[in-house]
Structure formats: C-alpha cells, structure tokens
Amino acid sequence: MDKFLIQGGNRLHGRVKISGAKNGALALMPAVILAPGIYHLHNTPNLRDVWTMSRLLGSLGIFCELNGNDLTMDARQISSFEAPYEHVKKMRASFYVLGPLLARYGWAKVSLPGGCAWGPRPVDLHLKGLEKLGAKITLEQGYVIAEADKLKGDRFHFDISSVGATGNVLMAAVLARGVTELTNAAIEPEITSLARMLIKMGAKIDGIGTSHLIIEGVETLNPVDEENIPDRIEAATYLIAAAMTKGRVELENTNPYHLSSVIEKMEETGCNIDVNGNKIFIEMDDDPKPINIKTSIYPGIPTDVQAQWTAYMLLAQGNSFITDSVYHDRFKHIPELQRLGADINVVDNVAIIKGGKKLSGAIVMSSDLRASASLILAGLVSDGVTEVLRVYHLDRGYESVEKKLENLGASIKRVKSEMI
Ligand code: EPZ
C-alpha cells in the first residue's frame, strides 16, 4: 500500500487543472443501463472509484474503456442484472445501478452497501422511492431483490435530501408508465448533471436544478455522448491547500458557481479570490481568521469539504467550530490531526478547534477519502516530514494528486510502504 512523504513548509504557486467530478461520473455511468448503445463520457477522472464502477458495469455486460479522460461504455448487450457484494462493498455508489436495472429489465439483485469508515449509510430512501413506483422489494442474505413488471409513476417525498436516492429513483422514473413527482429531491450539481444527460437521452424531466422534479415516463431512451462536470470538491481542496500554504494559485477547468458557498467562506477567512470564467485565482498572505462552518446540502458547505476545512482552521488565530449536519461523526481525521499537534475536541458532533498550535510531522493513517485529504493538507504546513499511510483512499477521488501538488511546489513523494 502506497504512502506519501510530505515535507511541510512550501508555499503553493502556479496553476492546477481540476479534474472531472468523481461523484459526477458515478452518477452518470449507471444511466447507460437505461438504453442500449455506445456512450462517450468526456472529462471522466482517472480514479479508483471510476475503475470500480467500470468493473461493476463490466460484470453486467457493459464494456468500459477509459482513454485519458474519455470513457467509452458499450451498453449494447447487458447479460446480468446482479451487482455482487464484491463490487458494492468497495464503493457505495455501486448501489446506483438498482434503479436503472429495475426500470429497464424489471428485475435487479444488488448487494446492500453496508456502512463506511464513519458510520452507517442507509439506503431506505432508495428502496421506499422504488416501492412507491411499484417495485416489490425483498431483502435476502444482504442483497436487495427488486421486481416490477412495469414501474408506474407516482408522487414521492424524500424525508431527507439524498443524492444517491434521488439518482436511483430518478433513473427508475424516466422509464416508468405515467408521471412521477419527486419532492425534496437532491439539487447537488451531480444530480442536475444526471437529469440533463437523461433529457439528452430522451427523458422528459421538468424542474431540474430544483428539489421538485416532475418526470413523464417514456417508452425508450437513446445513447448519448456527455460531458462530466468539474469536481467541486477537488477544487475546494486545492483552494484550501493554497490558502493554508499562503500561496498564489490559479485553478482551471472549474465551475465556480458549484462552490460559491466555499468561496464565500474562504473570503471571510481573509483570502483574496478572483473568479474569471472557469478559472478561480486565490492568494493568501496571512493566517486565516477563525470561521465556523456547518455543512449542509447544496448549495451549502458540502460535508465532503468538512475534513479539509478542519485542517484549514488549525492555522487560524483563534477557536472555530465545525458542525457536520449531514453525517453524524464524520471525524475520523481528527485523531490523526491530533498526532500532528492539532488541538481539537469533538462534542456532540461539533469539532472545536483551538487554532494556532504548532504542527509537527508524524506518521498518520488515512481512513477515508476526505479524511486523507485533510491529512495531506495538514502535512503541507507541518514542520518536518509527514507520512500519510493508505493513500489508496485518496486515489479514489483525487486524480494525480501528488503530481498536481508537486507542480504547485509542494514537496510530496509517493513511496511503496512496507507498513500496512
Ligand atoms: C453522496 O453520497 C456522495 N457520494 C458523498 O460523497 C456525499 O458525502 C453525500 O452524497 C452527501 O453530499 C457520491 O455521490 C458517490 P446521501 P450518498 O444519500 O448519495 C442519509 C465523497 O467523499 N440517507 O446524499 O450516499 C445519509 O445517511 C462521498 O465523495 C438516508 O438516511 O449520500 C446521509 O445522512 C462521501 N437514507 C444523508 O442522507 C438513504 O436511503 C445524505 O446521504 C440515503 C441517505
């Protein structure tokens, strides 16, 4: 398992191209199940999660090939309607094939995803939504079996705004008979992007970009070529890296609108940020002001930026409070940050950070994708060398991370690790 060696203290400067969105690609890829044909998905990031989804689609009979950042998916022949545990356990987003398989073939068997590093990740809203469209759902030995001769449009309200559940139910509804009305649907850019692709395929969807979606089912859809959106979480991570190192960095290939809440908060900390088309320029000369955040659904501060913001506030001259209102206890990065000298306490799902403490390099362990990103960020500003173990977590969602950071002036090396 690889590890990163990071020598702290370098200021980042220069340009970095933001990759296509991991969560964007993972939302669009299962949609190819809905219609036979060959698809091209441009701006697809070369990431472990994309390889995992490609392998899962491959097990269904859909040949996937990534050339650079162009993904070709051949969905002309689907030979299986089962998503086995071996794929789903690696990546929760594998569960997103349930809705399209059910809509197209009337039967699907998909492993329950189980929990993740920071706790339970239920799928009850996915199942309730599909049942509302007429699916018969049974649970057998850790698998969901979904059956429906023909899904029938209906109204469904999501008790919680859920990205995955919205995607699954939306992909089922586009081939259902009649009209489906979804309320409290997720409005994350990845879902809007999925809705746009479905419309391009021939689906009839009103209200995209809002939490009220009205879908008129159609008989068939067609294959398309699509462009994946830029990764707003990767962009936020590099903005924070630039600010933490008191650097001057320009991000390219972004959609600034998708991270306006993060940009706003970073300006509150004292950063100077300029937005120009798909470019974001950031410079920072001082330590950040302590700014509290509370994560929320889009367009609020994403929960996927919470760990990175925690690392950022370690440098603030004062105390800050970080609340994750989306996930309970998504704080596995905190004990590792404490190993670097951070003064953080978690009380009732709020991380209380006493900023300004000296950070010194140490060996730290990645536990999940965004936790490992926060360890990298902290290593960039810690005295001495920080070893970040199990960087395979990072490889799930950050394309060429060490190359991008090195090009910006960071001292970071990927080495094979004899430690687990
Ligand atoms: C997506 O996960 C993202 N993953 C996550 O990013 C992200 O953290 C999350 O949305 C929230 O923005 C992908 O897009 C592949 P949810 P998802 O369903 O769809 C509860 C990353 O780091 N819930 O929106 O699984 C759930 O417990 C990953 O890139 C139910 O209660 O998240 C949570 O509290 C991590 N029942 C809330 O909704 C359900 O059936 C939001 O979860 C579904 C969800």
Side-chain angles (χ1 to χ4, degrees), residues 22-23 26 92-93 96 118 120-126 160-165 188 232 303-304 326-327 330 369-370:
K22 166 182 82 82
N23 293 345
L26 296 179
R92 171 185 167 83
Y96 296 174
W118 65 85
R121 300 279 296 275
V123 290
D124 57 312
L125 295 172
H126 299 242
I160 299 174
S161 170
S162 159
V163 173
E188 272 69 7
R232 59 195 171 101
T303 172
D304 296 344
V326 176
Y327 291 111
R330 189 179 184 175
L369 169 56
R370 307 304 174 184

Side-chain angles (χ1 to χ4, degrees), residues 78 156 192 253 285 298 308 384:
I78 288 185
F156 182 68
T192 302
N253 187 40
D285 298 320
Y298 190 82
Q308 299 92 307

Side-chain angles (χ1 to χ4, degrees), residues 101-367:
L101 280 173
L102 180 63
R104 177 95 187 278
Y105 298 100
W107 193 88
K109 181 178 178 184
V110 178
S111 167
L112 281 167
C116 72
W118 65 85
R121 300 279 296 275
V123 290
D124 57 312
L125 295 172
H126 299 242
L127 303 182
K128 281 180 192 154
L130 295 175
E131 278 179 325
K132 197 69 190 299
L133 300 184
K136 177 174 166 270
I137 303 281
T138 47
L139 301 182
E140 255 177 49
Q141 294 169 319
Y143 278 79
V144 170
I145 295 170
E147 303 165 272
D149 293 337
K150 180 71 177 167
L151 292 173
K152 195 173 166 309
D154 204 326
R155 284 190 319 287
F156 182 68
H157 177 82
F158 293 93
D159 289 343
I160 299 174
S161 170
S162 159
V163 173
T166 300
N168 240 331
V169 177
L170 176 60
M171 285 191 278
V174 295
L175 288 180
R177 184 180 299 119
V179 176
T180 296
E181 194 167 350
L182 302 178
T183 50
N184 198 31
I187 60 170
E188 272 69 7
E190 294 76 22
I191 291 297
T192 302
S193 167
L194 170 61
R196 286 211 174 96
M197 176 174 166
L198 293 170
I199 287 173
K200 226 170 147 179
M201 291 170 68
K204 291 180 180 162
I205 306 170
D206 278 332
I208 66 171
T210 77
S211 59
H212 182 194
L213 297 174
I214 299 173
I215 304 107
E216 186 185 337
V218 294
E219 281 300 312
T220 55
L221 294 166
N222 304 299
V224 293
D225 290 358
E226 188 55 298
E227 178 86 17
N228 184 27
I229 59 174
D231 196 312
R232 59 195 171 101
I233 308 302
E234 185 197 21
T237 306
Y238 281 99
L239 286 175
I240 292 172
M244 288 179 72
T245 60
K246 298 186 178 58
R248 295 166 59 87
V249 174
E250 182 170 76
L251 279 60
E252 301 171 331
N253 187 40
T254 73
N255 183 329
Y257 181 76
H258 290 166
L259 59 158
S260 44
S261 58
V262 173
I263 290 171
E264 175 79 25
K265 278 292 174 191
M266 295 207 64
E267 287 176 326
E268 281 180 42
T269 67
C271 295
N272 173 32
I273 296 180
D274 284 324
V275 170
N276 176 13
N278 69 3
K279 293 185 172 69
I280 305 172
F281 173 77
I282 181 170
E283 61 184 342
M284 179 66 152
D285 298 320
D286 306 310
D287 288 329
K289 296 186 187 77
I291 298 293
N292 304 332
I293 63 161
K294 183 171 186 179
T295 67
S296 70
I297 60 174
Y298 190 82
I301 299 282
T303 172
D304 296 344
V305 174
Q306 179 261 107
Q308 299 92 307
W309 193 270
T310 302
Y312 184 33
M313 287 297 102
L314 298 180
L315 304 181
Q317 293 307 323
N319 296 351
S320 52
F321 299 83
I322 294 181
T323 308
D324 197 322
S325 62
V326 176
Y327 291 111
H328 188 76
D329 186 24
R330 189 179 184 175
F331 293 118
K332 290 289 176 294
H333 45 290
I334 285 181
E336 299 304 313
L337 293 173
Q338 288 166 339
R339 287 177 50 74
L340 300 174
D343 184 343
I344 313 179
N345 281 307
V346 179
V347 179
D348 296 336
N349 213 40
V350 178
I352 302 159
I353 298 163
K354 289 198 178 71
K357 300 284 185 282
K358 182 174 161 13
L359 299 175
S360 306
I363 299 177
V364 289
M365 180 82 78
S366 302
S367 55

